[in-house]
Amino acid sequence: PGTLGIDVPLWIRNSASDSFCVAAYFEASGSTNKFNNVAISTKGAFEGLALKTRQTSSSVTLTNGDVFVSCYNQSSITVYLPTSPVTGKLIYVKNINGYNVTVNGNGKSIAANSTSSSITSGTTGEIMMFIFDGQYWAAAFIKW
């Protein structure tokens, strides 16, 4: 865009609403850092948020694509977090029925009040939140 004073090699127009909504890296003349330059226009691009959800009633291994997992189990189950999580990965696990849901770090430790390989919820409606900080799955419990 003209306001930046340099060319952007990629620009996508959302023709359905005539709004611009893309992020693209660009390289300024003589720049040695090609990946920290980003042009973004969000006019009309963000209209709500939808998380990827997954429902389970049995033990399951999650992937980096999972975000919110609803556990409809009728007996104790184990939810295994991704084996190779990306730093900053956020996962919520909700206990729907009140049966034990154990979340296992799958090779990574979980840090809550102490550090362990797994953490368990046995409370109906409780949500366990996990954020991978590059070393640990930082955990917190949410209840409302």
Side-chain angles (χ1 to χ4, degrees), residues 5-86:
I6 54 179
D7 293 330
V8 175
L10 174 64
W11 197 259
I12 298 172
R13 179 187 288 268
N14 179 348
S15 61
S17 64
D18 198 33
S19 300
F20 295 97
C21 56
V22 72
Y25 93 87
F26 60 92
E27 178 183 358
S29 297
S31 173
T32 58
N33 188 347
K34 299 179 182 180
F35 300 104
N36 286 332
N37 301 310
V38 179
I40 300 174
S41 176
T42 60
K43 179 182 171 192
F46 303 107
E47 296 177 8
L49 173 66
L51 300 177
K52 181 177 179 189
T53 62
R54 179 178 195 165
Q55 296 178 353
T56 189
S57 58
S58 59
S59 295
V60 64
T61 299
L62 304 181
T63 69
N64 278 322
D66 292 309
V67 179
F68 192 97
V69 181
S70 299
C71 298
Y72 288 89
N73 48 306
Q74 297 294 317
S75 61
S76 296
I77 64 169
T78 301
V79 174
Y80 296 90
L81 294 172
T83 56
S84 299
V86 296

Side-chain angles (χ1 to χ4, degrees), residues 54-62 68-81 91-105 110 116-130 139-141:
R54 179 178 195 165
Q55 296 178 353
T56 189
S57 58
S58 59
S59 295
V60 64
T61 299
L62 304 181
F68 192 97
V69 181
S70 299
C71 298
Y72 288 89
N73 48 306
Q74 297 294 317
S75 61
S76 296
I77 64 169
T78 301
V79 174
Y80 296 90
L81 294 172
I91 293 180
Y92 298 96
V93 179
K94 181 167 176 77
N95 186 326
I96 300 292
N97 295 331
Y99 293 93
N100 282 350
V101 175
T102 298
V103 177
N104 184 290
I110 297 173
S116 64
S117 61
S118 63
I119 195 167
T120 300
S121 167
T123 305
T124 301
E126 189 168 60
I127 298 173
M128 295 177 279
M129 179 180 73
F130 301 90
F141 288 87

